[in-house]
């Protein structure tokens, strides 16, 4: 009911602006999907049911993100003549307010920016970084064993130096058109006047086991009776507005030094249990650097795709899986068929085996370029036997390995958000942004939550006497699976802009969406709506309550161990449209029904 009011208010506002909006119809809430929040973190954000969406079409500029208010803020920047980057910043700053469980200025992000004028794609790494005092045995308890996952998450030790503010500033300096202060206005206004608590925010606050333990989070997210604010409650966050005002006035230095920095440093130490105290310092914050990296580009069915390089494993995994699938008649097999699920799960096993062995921060570990070597990838794909599952893949030996390190033994660990934007100048942003687990480290400072990104490192630092590639080291960035991705058309213009949250399952979510659009010729909404499935080199995982669940017996007959789980992706995808002669006609976009996102464009 309240969700409908929330929707109607928004749509009324949007109609006033004559934007084209279709979708955001609240469909159904599944009341029994929350088991994962309490068990092993196979998916870091719980399901809160489905919010049915419809395809959106638009002419030249549009924003897709995980919350309507954030999308509206980004779109408002485009209407003012801003660039895709201006829109991405405004969207991110509002997401940090209205979807604080997933991303915010206390976290990190990766952004791909296609600069139309320069005809160049740039990849920006704003990943959180381990403090200078961090040591490989960071997550080993006094008993000599790796800490329990949530003991590590809910502690100052999981907090890395946040990168998002520096990233937004770098993006703006390079690609912004509107004044820096302008892009802060929507978030500041909403934080001061209050925003309606969304159905998903209401649910995830209610369900979280740890959020109440932090005094600042308790005071903000709960009413005086300790209950999650009701859906539609106008929640104000004056502290966040104050933080944003400082950054808007003085730039990222207001975040990385001075009062806000001091507050973060104090917060990570604020635990009575000494073992939980973190070690982030003012120097770590002052030294934070955004890194511009070369995007990784590869081809699939004659199209060029580009994604995020290491320290993300997502782009490499997607490249490897697509290379393995290219020899199969995916178009003929179609979505949700036994052969499709078998082949994609096997491709996943191979890619995730390499991910565990080789992927880490390239400034610290040897990430062989040979992982993307065409002959190597083909030879890996040749290992797929359509009659039986390999069950568990071993890593391959790509050309050019310099140092043999050990694999990350965390095979299937499972808050993040994705933003896709195009502007009328032809620029494109694909940005995946995170605070890692839902509500991050559950530590609130100055109106925002601190990340727990350092638990993306391996808890074990050596295996069989060899150092683990993704072990904790001072100043290192933890391995990620975030895969903001852009597919190019034959003329070199961006054709598909996509990405997703979902922890280590991100590569599988993005893969499904790309295959859906390229092989099955689905529109972005239909591709996103497809069931999620795949393998992270553990069991073959099928999304609960979807048509692929019915494949379980047939997959088992081919030797798969099958696990049926909630798979809360948060895909957003924009796709260019063409006429019969191949001339571009406009865009269409979709948002994931598993979250509250939407697309607005005109
Ligand atoms: O960087 C990564 O891959 C993870 N920290 C992302 C976490 C995530 O997607 C949680 N989302 N639901």
């Amino acid at each position: 009911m309240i969700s409908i009011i929330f929707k109607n208010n928004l749509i009324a506002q949007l109609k006033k602006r004559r934007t084209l909006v279709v979708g955001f119809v609240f469909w159904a809430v599944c009341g029994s999907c929350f088991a994962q929040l309490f068990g092993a973190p196979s998916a870091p954000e719980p399901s809160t049911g489905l919010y049915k969406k419809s395809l959106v079409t638009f002419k030249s500029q549009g924003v897709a993100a995980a919350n309507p208010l954030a999308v509206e803020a980004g779109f408002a920047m485009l209407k003012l003549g801003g660039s895709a980057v201006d829109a991405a910043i405004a969207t991110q700053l509002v997401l940090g307010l209205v979807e604080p469980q997933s991303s915010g200025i206390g976290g990190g992000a990766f952004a791909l920016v296609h600069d139309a004028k320069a005809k160049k794609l740039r990849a920006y790494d704003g990943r959180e970084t381990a403090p200078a005092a961090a040591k490989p045995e960071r997550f080993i308890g006094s008993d000599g064993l790796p800490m329990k996952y949530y003991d590590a998450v809910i502690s100052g030790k999981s907090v890395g130096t946040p990168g998002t503010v520096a990233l937004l500033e770098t993006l703006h300096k390079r690609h912004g058109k509107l004044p820096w202060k302008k892009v802060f206005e929507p978030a500041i206004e909403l934080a001061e006047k209050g925003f309606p608590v969304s159905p998903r925010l209401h649910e995830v606050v209610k369900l979280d086991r740890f959020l109440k333990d932090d005094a600042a989070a308790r005071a903000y997210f709960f009413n005086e009776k300790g209950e999650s604010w009701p859906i539609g409650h106008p929640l104000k966050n004056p502290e966040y507005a104050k933080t944003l005002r400082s950054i808007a006035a003085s730039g990222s230095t207001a975040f990385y030094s001075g009062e806000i920095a001091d507050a973060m440093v104090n917060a990570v130490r604020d635990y009575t249990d000494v073992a939980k105290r973190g070690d982030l310092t003012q120097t770590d914050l002052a030294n934070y650097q955004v890194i511009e990296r070369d995007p990784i580009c590869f081809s699939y069915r004659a199209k060029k795709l580009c994604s995020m390089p290491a320290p993300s494993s997502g782009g490499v995994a997607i490249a490897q899986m697509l290379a393995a699938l290219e020899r199969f008649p995916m178009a003929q097999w179609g979505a949700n068929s036994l052969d499709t699920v078998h082949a994609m799960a096997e491709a996943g096993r191979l890619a995730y085996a390499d991910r565990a062995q080789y992927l880490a921060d390239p400034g610290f570990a040897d990430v062989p370029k040979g992982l993307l070597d065409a002959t190597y990838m083909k030879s890996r794909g040749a290992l797929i036997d359509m009659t039986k599952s390999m069950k568990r893949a071993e890593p391959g030996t790509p050309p050019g390995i310099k140092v043999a390190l050990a694999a990350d033994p965390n095979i299937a660990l499972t808050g993040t958000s994705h933003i896709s934007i195009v502007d009328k100048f032809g620029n494109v942003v694909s940005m995946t942004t995170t605070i890692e687990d839902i509500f991050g480290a559950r530590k609130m400072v100055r109106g925002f939550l601190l990340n727990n990104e350092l638990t993306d490192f391996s808890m074990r630092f050596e295996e069989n006497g060899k150092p683990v590639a993704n072990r904790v080291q001072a100043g290192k960035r933890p391995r990620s699976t975030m895969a903001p991705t852009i597919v190019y058309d034959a003329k070199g213009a961006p054709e598909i802009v996509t990405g997703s949250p979902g922890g280590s399952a991100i590569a599988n979510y993005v893969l499904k969406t790309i295959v859906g659009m390229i092989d099955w010729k689905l529109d972005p909404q239909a591709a996103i709506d497809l069931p999620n499935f795949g393998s992270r080199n553990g069991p073959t995982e099928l999304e609960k309550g979807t048509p692929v669940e019915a494949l379980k017996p047939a997959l088992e007959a081919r030797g798969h161990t099958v696990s049926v789980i909630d798979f809360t992706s948060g895909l957003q995808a924009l796709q260019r449209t063409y006429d019969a002669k191949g001339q571009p006609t406009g865009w269409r976009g979709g948002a994931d029904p598993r979250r509250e996102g939407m697309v607005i464009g005109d």
Side-chain angles (χ1 to χ4, degrees):
M1 168 69 186
I2 311 252
S3 65
I4 292 167
I5 296 170
F6 180 60
K7 174 197 79 177
N8 286 347
N9 283 343
L10 179 77
I11 290 182
Q13 282 174 46
L14 294 172
K15 274 191 182 151
K16 260 193 257 152
R17 293 174 198 205
R18 294 188 183 186
T19 54
L20 177 58
V21 179
V22 187
F24 196 64
V25 180
F26 188 71
W27 183 37
V29 170
C30 147
S32 60
C33 310
F34 308 121
Q36 275 166 200
L37 189 64
F38 305 102
S42 65
E45 291 198 35
S47 161
T48 50
L50 293 175
Y51 310 81
K52 193 165 168 33
K53 313 281 160 69
S54 308
L55 183 71
V56 173
T57 57
F58 57 92
K59 191 80 199 146
S60 62
Q61 54 181 6
V63 179
N67 178 283
L69 294 167
V71 173
E72 197 198 11
F75 187 66
M77 298 300 118
L78 295 181
K79 293 299 273 180
L80 288 172
S83 66
V85 153
D86 294 322
I89 300 170
T91 304
Q92 170 68 81
L93 296 174
V94 175
L95 281 176
L97 177 71
V98 300
E99 197 203 31
Q101 68 270 25
S102 300
S103 75
I105 58 174
F110 295 138
L112 290 191
V113 181
H114 173 85
D115 182 333
K117 207 162 155 203
K119 291 203 170 79
K120 197 165 163 42
L121 177 70
R122 300 179 190 279
Y124 295 99
D125 170 353
R127 185 75 166 159
E128 299 90 331
T129 301
K135 301 221 164 44
E137 53 281 11
R138 187 175 190 83
F139 295 119
I140 301 293
S142 50
D143 54 1
L145 296 172
M147 290 166 77
K148 284 196 198 120
Y149 182 69
Y150 275 107
D151 285 350
V153 170
I154 316 296
S155 83
K157 285 187 162 170
S158 69
V159 181
T161 314
T164 296
V165 173
L167 175 70
L168 298 183
E169 186 174 69
T170 302
L171 292 179
H172 186 260
K173 281 193 177 138
R174 304 244 183 121
H175 308 282
K177 277 182 187 290
L178 296 175
W180 173 244
K181 276 191 176 166
K182 189 82 206 161
V183 295
F184 282 70
E185 283 176 6
I188 293 174
E189 192 182 326
L190 276 171
E192 285 174 349
K193 292 195 175 150
F195 68 94
V197 168
S198 77
R200 184 166 166 83
L201 178 57
H202 166 77
E203 283 298 331
V204 292
V205 168
K206 193 163 92 186
L207 289 163
D208 196 70
R209 283 187 288 165
F210 307 108
L211 196 58
K212 262 187 200 158
D213 296 340
D214 178 66
R218 187 188 174 92
Y220 175 64
F221 287 107
F222 299 87
N223 67 15
E224 54 295 336
K225 290 192 211 144
E227 297 159 341
S228 172
W229 292 111
I231 298 165
H233 170 80
L235 187 58
K236 293 183 185 170
N237 190 342
E239 283 273 286
Y240 185 58
K242 198 171 155 209
T243 297
L244 293 189
R245 281 193 187 281
S246 306
I247 303 169
S250 313
S252 69
T253 41
F255 181 84
Y256 289 100
S257 61
E259 268 184 44
I260 301 172
D262 292 347
M264 289 191 273
V265 165
N266 292 336
V268 303
R269 289 174 168 67
D270 179 28
Y271 294 86
T272 23
D273 179 354
V274 181
K276 285 190 169 285
R277 289 186 192 153
D279 47 12
L280 180 74
T281 64
Q282 277 87 351
T283 313
D284 292 319
L285 287 159
N287 287 342
Y288 186 81
Q289 295 287 337
V290 173
I291 301 177
E292 186 181 342
R293 301 188 184 273
D294 290 332
I296 54 165
C297 296
F298 43 95
S299 74
Y300 180 65
R301 309 231 189 265
K303 286 193 191 292
K304 179 179 162 189
L305 289 85
C306 297
S307 193
M308 195 65 205
S312 183
S313 60
V316 174
I318 292 167
Q320 291 189 333
M321 290 192 279
L322 288 172
L325 295 176
E326 205 157 20
R327 74 181 165 101
F328 296 120
M330 302 300 292
Q332 190 190 316
W333 287 346
N336 306 340
S337 71
L338 177 62
D339 283 338
T340 289
V341 175
H342 174 85
M344 285 170 77
E346 297 299 282
R349 293 193 157 84
L350 293 162
Y352 278 80
D354 274 6
R355 171 186 181 272
Q357 178 72 34
Y358 300 111
L359 265 298
D361 183 338
F364 291 77
D366 172 35
V367 182
K369 288 208 172 29
L371 287 166
L372 294 174
D373 177 84
T375 313
Y376 171 71
M377 293 198 292
K378 217 169 151 194
S379 71
R380 293 286 285 165
L383 299 173
I384 299 177
D385 176 345
M386 285 307 294
T387 64
K388 64 174 194 301
S389 174
M390 66 185 79
K391 292 181 190 291
R392 185 163 164 74
E394 291 301 322
T397 312
I401 298 174
K402 296 192 197 102
V403 193
L405 297 171
D408 183 344
N410 303 333
I411 53 156
L413 289 185
T414 80
T416 303
S417 210
H418 182 80
I419 303 170
S420 290
I421 302 183
V422 299
D423 67 25
K424 62 182 177 216
F425 314 104
N427 305 306
V428 159
V429 173
S430 182
M431 171 165 149
T432 312
T433 172
T434 182
I435 51 171
E436 214 309 278
D437 201 52
I438 190 158
F439 299 106
R442 278 67 161 192
K443 193 70 165 163
M444 199 164 192
V445 184
R446 302 284 170 133
F448 62 91
L449 286 158
L450 292 175
N451 69 85
N452 66 295
E453 217 69 49
L454 302 189
T455 52
D456 272 1
F457 282 118
S458 170
M459 297 225 168
R460 291 184 190 273
F461 56 94
E462 58 177 25
E463 284 287 287
N464 306 322
K466 278 191 205 154
V468 171
N470 186 35
R471 69 191 180 283
V472 181
Q473 289 175 274
K476 188 174 175 181
R477 297 174 184 215
R479 182 190 61 207
S480 171
T481 318
M482 296 191 295
T485 300
I486 298 178
V487 180
Y488 283 88
D489 68 13
K491 292 189 184 136
E495 180 179 336
I496 295 171
V497 190
T498 192
S500 181
S504 60
I506 290 172
N508 284 329
Y509 299 155
V510 176
L511 176 78
K512 165 204 84 172
T513 310
I514 289 171
V515 171
M517 284 190 272
I518 294 181
D519 287 299
W520 301 323
K521 310 279 180 246
L522 296 173
D523 68 55
Q525 188 61 58
I528 289 170
D529 291 350
L530 288 173
N532 288 320
F533 60 85
S535 173
R536 293 174 266 182
N537 207 18
T540 294
E541 299 167 311
L542 306 175
E543 186 177 4
K544 200 190 278 175
T546 67
V548 291
E549 231 186 297
L551 299 174
K552 187 170 184 273
L555 287 163
E556 284 168 348
R558 286 193 192 181
H560 293 250
T561 302
V562 177
S563 153
V564 177
I565 59 173
D566 285 330
F567 246 163
T568 318
S569 52
L571 289 146
Q572 330 288 350
L574 303 177
Q575 182 186 35
R576 203 186 286 271
T577 51
Y578 301 86
D579 65 15
K581 291 188 187 136
Q583 292 306 312
T585 51
W587 289 86
R588 53 191 189 173
D592 205 315
R594 301 159 186 89
R595 298 204 187 197
E596 295 173 320
M598 75 184 311
V599 183
I600 307 178
D602 70 355

